């Protein structure tokens, strides 16, 4: 596991709990030490990783999308051997995955892209994974994915007579989405949808809060308890969700969300989703508006923007844009 931050470190710990052996590397020596204390094999460099992994190495990268991931994959490619597998579990752009897979295939190295959702709660709850790569490689990696995934859990099964031989993975919490690039493409759209859902909650609670405004006639003002509203909507409502759960937690701690400025960051997938919609000529009105709302939040802030930041912090530990 290369990259031991909020996601990588906890994924490594979940894998070790499931009986897998982890070689851990990060430029942050303290992160490596902590994981070694939990049972990982510490590595001091990519060369050291190479020596400790041996033949048939599986290199799993959990780094921010962009230059650092690109540079790390290039460095691994120079050290990897035929039969190795390189996994990118971050949020890379799917077209980069397609390019990397072709380049690594020339060396006999398989490339797998894993769109990973679960945030800081994944160590306990498990990770939902959308995977791109060759089926033969995924079959080899299935024990790893099964350990990371939530499994069947207590979720009611969807009424569906699954044909014999059809992919069984979805009910366990991971899928083989298609060839290289498909995993991150599905995760990209997942995050675009996430923007829209979060924006809907944010705008709704902003309307609820503003009902107490002195700009309204006095007899039309309601001083609503947002904490109780979030809580009651969690119970039997058709709009209940994990995002609403996180909103309820944040509002219960501080209904005015004073720790958040409302300058909402984005990690790129929202824009990539809109770009894909434009390429495919598919209308995406809600997702586009949600993305633009995040851009606007960096100029002027609303209560709804604070709730967006609170949700992002709740599921992923994401911090706000600097002021």
């Amino acid at each position: 596991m290369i990259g031991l931050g909020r996601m990588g470190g906890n994924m490594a710990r979940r894998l070790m709990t499931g009986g897998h052996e982890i070689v851990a590397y990060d430029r942050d020596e303290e992160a490596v030490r902590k994981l070694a204390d939990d049972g990982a094999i510490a590595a001091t460099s990519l060369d050291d990783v190479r020596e400790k992994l041996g033949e048939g190495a599986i290199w799993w990268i959990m780094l921010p999308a962009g230059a650092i991931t690109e540079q790390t994959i290039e460095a691994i490619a120079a050290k990897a051997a035929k039969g190795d597998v390189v996994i990118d579990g971050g949020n890379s752009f799917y077209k980069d995955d397609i390019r990397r897979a072709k380049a690594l295939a020339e060396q006999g190295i398989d490339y797998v892209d894993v769109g990973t959702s679960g945030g800081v709660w994944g160590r306990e709850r498990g990770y939902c994974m959308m995977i791109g790569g060759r089926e033969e490689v995924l079959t080899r990696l299935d024990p790893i994915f099964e350990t990371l995934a939530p499994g069947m859990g207590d979720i009611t099964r969807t009424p569906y007579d699954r044909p014999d031989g059809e992919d069984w993975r979805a009910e366990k919490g991971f899928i083989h989405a298609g060839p290289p690039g498909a995993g991150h493409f599905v995760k990209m759209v997942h995050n675009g949808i996430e923007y829209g859902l979060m924006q809907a909650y944010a705008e709704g609670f902003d309307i609820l809060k503003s009902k107490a405004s002195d700009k309204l006639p006095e007899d039309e003002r309601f001083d609503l308890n947002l904490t109780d509203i979030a809580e009651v909507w969690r119970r039997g409502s058709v709009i209940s969700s994990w995002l609403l759960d996180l909103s309820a937690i944040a509002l219960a701690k501080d209904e005015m969300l004073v720790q958040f400025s409302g300058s909402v960051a984005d990690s790129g997938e929202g824009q990539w989703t809109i770009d894909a919609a434009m390429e495919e000529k598919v209308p995406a009105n809600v997702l586009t508006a949600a993305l633009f709302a995040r851009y606007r939040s960096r100029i002027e802030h609303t209560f709804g923007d604070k709730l967006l930041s609170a949700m992002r912090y709740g599921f992923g530990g994401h911090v706000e844009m600097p002021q």
Side-chain angles (χ1 to χ4, degrees):
M1 186 68 74
I2 299 163
L4 308 176
R6 292 189 303 263
M7 292 286 283
N10 280 340
M11 291 172 75
R13 290 180 175 91
R14 185 173 174 92
L15 285 168
M16 289 189 293
T17 299
H20 298 273
E21 191 174 54
I22 297 291
V23 175
Y25 173 65
D26 193 292
R27 290 185 296 186
D28 181 350
E29 294 180 1
E30 180 65 12
V32 177
R33 185 193 64 75
K34 287 181 178 178
L35 203 63
D37 288 346
D38 289 339
I41 301 168
T44 57
S45 66
L46 290 179
D47 286 322
D48 193 22
V49 172
R50 168 76 277 173
E51 290 182 13
K52 288 180 165 64
L53 282 175
E55 294 183 2
I58 300 170
W59 310 72
W60 191 312
I61 303 162
M62 287 302 295
L63 296 169
I68 186 170
T69 291
E70 192 71 34
Q71 293 163 6
T72 302
I73 291 175
E74 288 176 359
I76 289 171
K79 307 174 191 305
K82 185 176 180 179
D84 284 5
V85 179
V86 175
I87 302 173
D88 178 8
N91 282 325
S92 288
F93 186 43
Y94 76 98
K95 292 184 180 180
D96 290 334
D97 295 316
I98 296 170
R99 170 179 52 80
R100 293 169 185 158
K102 290 177 179 176
L104 290 173
E106 294 178 359
Q107 297 177 235
I109 300 166
D110 272 290
Y111 179 89
V112 174
D113 53 291
V114 180
T116 310
S117 182
V120 295
W121 300 77
R123 180 181 178 184
E124 176 184 347
R125 292 168 54 115
Y127 300 88
C128 170
M129 292 168 289
M130 298 134 270
I131 306 163
R134 293 194 305 121
E135 175 62 31
E136 304 92 301
V137 183
L138 263 67
T139 300
R140 172 187 169 194
L141 301 175
D142 273 339
I144 296 172
F145 297 138
E146 281 200 77
T147 301
L148 287 170
M152 296 286 289
D154 57 2
I155 297 174
T156 302
R157 298 187 73 180
T158 303
Y160 174 52
D161 292 327
R162 187 173 296 277
D164 291 340
E166 187 172 297
D167 199 337
W168 51 270
R169 298 180 177 102
E171 286 192 316
K172 295 289 187 72
F174 65 106
I175 59 167
H176 180 199
H184 277 151
F185 183 80
V186 175
K187 176 57 164 46
M188 177 189 80
V189 177
H190 164 285
N191 283 23
I193 293 170
E194 177 187 292
Y195 282 33
L197 292 172
M198 293 172 68
Q199 186 66 26
Y201 284 123
E203 291 177 8
F205 277 94
D206 209 351
I207 294 167
L208 293 169
K209 177 179 180 296
S210 297
K211 192 59 175 169
S213 171
D214 58 11
K215 297 177 182 178
L216 295 172
E218 187 173 355
D219 62 351
E220 294 181 12
R221 299 175 199 165
F222 302 149
D223 187 10
L224 299 168
N225 187 315
L226 305 185
T227 303
D228 282 354
I229 291 170
E231 188 63 31
V232 76
W233 282 352
R234 294 180 61 220
R235 302 174 187 281
S237 164
V238 296
I239 63 167
S240 59
S241 72
W242 187 28
L243 290 171
L244 182 59
D245 293 345
L246 295 172
S247 298
I249 292 168
L251 291 166
K253 289 180 178 177
D254 171 21
E255 192 166 276
M256 292 298 101
L257 304 175
V258 294
Q259 78 175 91
F260 299 101
S261 71
S263 182
V264 188
D266 71 280
S267 50
E269 296 90 347
Q271 180 176 329
W272 296 343
T273 302
I274 304 311
D275 290 344
M278 293 178 69
E279 288 178 4
E280 299 163 14
K281 296 181 173 55
V282 174
N285 305 35
V286 171
L287 307 191
T288 303
L291 175 65
F292 287 172
R294 293 197 179 195
Y295 295 163
R296 187 264 311 137
S297 78
R298 297 161 204 174
I299 301 170
E300 56 180 4
H301 320 307
T302 67
F303 178 77
D305 297 330
K306 291 186 175 186
L307 188 59
L308 283 175
S309 287
M311 282 186 271
R312 295 187 80 248
Y313 183 79
F315 67 72
H318 301 296
V319 297
E320 293 182 304
M321 294 287 289
Q323 296 296 297

